[in-house]
Amino acid sequence: MAKFDLTAKNCQYLDRHLTFPLLEFLLQKNVYDQSSLLKFILETVSKTNMVDYTMDIRERLTLEKTLPEELNQRRANVLVTLKELQAEVAPLMKCMEELKNPDTLKDSKSIIHALQQTLDYDIIQSAQKLAKYLYECGNYNDSLSYLYICMLVMEPNDKNYLSVLWGKLAVEILTLNWPTALEDLTRLRDFIENYNFSPIQVLQQRTWLIHWSVLVFFNHAKGRDLIIDMFLYKPQYLNAIQTMCPHILRYLATAVIINRGRRNALKDLIKVIQQESYTYRDPITEFVEHLYVNFDFEGARKKLHECQTVIVNDFFIIGCLDEFVENARLMIFETFCRIHQCITIGMLADKLNMKPDEAECWIVNLIRNARLDAKIDSKLGHVVMGTQPLSPYQQLVEKIDSLSVRSEALTLLVERKHKAKTQESGEGHWKYY
């Protein structure tokens, strides 16, 4: 399934360290030639300070066991540089220990204030360099400690503050700390939206943030709602997707399909998929088109089978496979039932890629759990559907949700235009929050 593999496209917008889990995942799936992929990983890791990982890749490539002189020299240089940077930030060590101490945590604000007042700016810069160096060595937990200090002490107008925000988000992702990663993601997004970037720069920042956020959203309990809100209902991010990375529609479509509570987003998703169908298509977006645009149930059935193969080989959404299949079958069933009043179980089983007995049990459970107005005639093998008008209350809720999202988008647009006019006229100065 190399045809539908998005790893190469996604890695363009990910930090080098974030690409390693994706590449290792591809090695397990045998999508590409193992030797070629290992050589690419070796080339990538050689640009970091992860000497041990380099040795591991060399062993898997069955290269000579003795380390080249270059690697030995690099290891020595890394250790020397680490000692030098640690010596530069020695005044920070005591304060860091105090921050980690539960007894003094309640007084952390005063400690931070003391850091800002007493520490030299060069020490803070050295801490940021050490955090970056530890990160390049693959020592993410120690890097996080210094990044946390830098984020607290640095002013938002510091030239390195944005790098610290990106670095902390990367570390939280690599250490699988999803709740904190979501907080960092929100903080970084707010900074990007409020900083005085040029139009090209802000588009680049948003594109990178979109790709990093996919890792967070599909691993956080609230991520399935948040990815829809950000990618589909924030115009600036939807524009970035359409302009720079239409392949992200795969993940947006997956989020909508597996999220039963956001079926009202389907109409907006379908519009976007149709608009971008000339630039990007894959089995997941085509499944939505076949089912809701063409009402081609046979095509949707075939695409559902292809979707399973795509998801199994996609690092970002492999964990959603069972939910995707279950909800995709439900969508086929619901759409089919809106068109037909009496359906044979055999026909439904064929549309759902199931055996007739399995389909009957699945439909019985679905009717019971979802409280659908339907009856099964086991003798004739029929499912007889009743009328299912959408309640006025549900229609009102969906309209209010849509209006709320659009109102927020318009408010942000008005504020942005007002801010631009204010800056041009020189009436106001930039404020950081």
Side-chain angles (χ1 to χ4, degrees), residues 270 274 281 285-300 335 339:
I270 292 165
Q274 286 186 283
R281 303 173 72 92
T285 61
E286 288 178 336
F287 168 79
V288 175
E289 277 191 295
H290 279 302
L291 187 57
Y292 290 104
V293 179
N294 306 325
F295 295 100
D296 179 2
F297 295 100
E298 180 62 22
T335 307
I339 300 173

Side-chain angles (χ1 to χ4, degrees), residues 338-357:
R338 289 193 190 104
I339 300 173
H340 303 83
Q341 187 175 8
C342 185
I343 314 157
T344 65
I345 292 176
M347 183 185 295
L348 274 176
D350 181 59
K351 302 299 181 188
L352 300 173
N353 284 333
M354 301 172 77
K355 295 178 181 179
D357 292 342

Side-chain angles (χ1 to χ4, degrees), residues 189 209 213 217 226-234 237:
R189 185 178 65 201
L209 188 65
S213 65
F217 287 144
L226 296 175
I227 190 173
I228 296 171
D229 294 335
M230 178 174 167
F231 289 4
L232 191 58
Y233 292 118
K234 288 191 180 293
Y237 286 92

Side-chain angles (χ1 to χ4, degrees), residues 288-314:
V288 175
E289 277 191 295
H290 279 302
L291 187 57
Y292 290 104
V293 179
N294 306 325
F295 295 100
D296 179 2
F297 295 100
E298 180 62 22
R301 182 186 68 81
K302 293 178 180 177
K303 289 300 173 184
L304 177 56
H305 181 71
E306 293 180 18
C307 287
Q308 296 178 57
T309 307
V310 169
I311 293 173
V312 165
N313 290 287
D314 192 307

Side-chain angles (χ1 to χ4, degrees), residues 136-264:
E136 290 298 333
C137 294
N139 194 341
Y140 304 126
N141 287 320
D142 287 347
S143 175
L144 180 61
S145 300
Y146 290 100
L147 284 169
Y148 181 69
I149 293 294
C150 290
M151 191 180 70
L152 292 176
V153 177
M154 281 183 175
E155 295 293 336
N157 60 352
D158 192 290
K159 63 180 181 180
N160 294 316
Y161 187 74
L162 181 61
S163 298
V164 170
L165 290 180
W166 279 109
K168 189 169 184 299
L169 176 58
V171 170
E172 300 292 2
I173 291 173
L174 289 165
T175 55
L176 309 182
N177 190 356
W178 304 119
T180 308
L182 182 60
E183 294 174 6
D184 290 338
L185 176 66
T186 304
R187 186 182 296 110
L188 179 57
R189 185 178 65 201
D190 292 342
F191 184 87
I192 290 171
E193 295 307 313
N194 290 313
Y195 194 74
N196 192 21
F197 287 115
S198 69
I200 295 296
Q201 288 175 327
V202 75
L203 180 61
Q204 291 172 338
Q205 292 287 327
R206 286 171 181 160
T207 305
W208 278 72
L209 188 65
I210 285 167
H211 287 79
W212 290 40
S213 65
V214 174
L215 284 163
V216 178
F217 287 144
F218 280 105
N219 288 283
H220 193 281
K222 298 180 180 178
R224 296 169 186 183
D225 285 318
L226 296 175
I227 190 173
I228 296 171
D229 294 335
M230 178 174 167
F231 289 4
L232 191 58
Y233 292 118
K234 288 191 180 293
Q236 63 270 39
Y237 286 92
L238 179 58
N239 177 261
I241 290 171
Q242 293 175 308
T243 305
M244 300 290 289
C245 49
H247 58 272
I248 292 294
L249 289 177
R250 170 186 293 183
Y251 306 114
L252 177 57
T254 300
V256 173
I257 289 171
I258 65 176
N259 196 336
R260 295 187 189 183
R262 299 297 296 271
R263 287 289 185 261
N264 59 321

Side-chain angles (χ1 to χ4, degrees), residues 299-335:
R301 182 186 68 81
K302 293 178 180 177
K303 289 300 173 184
L304 177 56
H305 181 71
E306 293 180 18
C307 287
Q308 296 178 57
T309 307
V310 169
I311 293 173
V312 165
N313 290 287
D314 192 307
F315 177 83
F316 291 90
I317 53 177
I318 186 173
C320 303
L321 177 61
D322 293 337
E323 286 180 276
F324 183 93
V325 173
E326 176 70 15
N327 282 280
R329 284 174 175 166
L330 175 61
M331 293 165 79
I332 293 174
F333 177 73
E334 289 175 340
T335 307

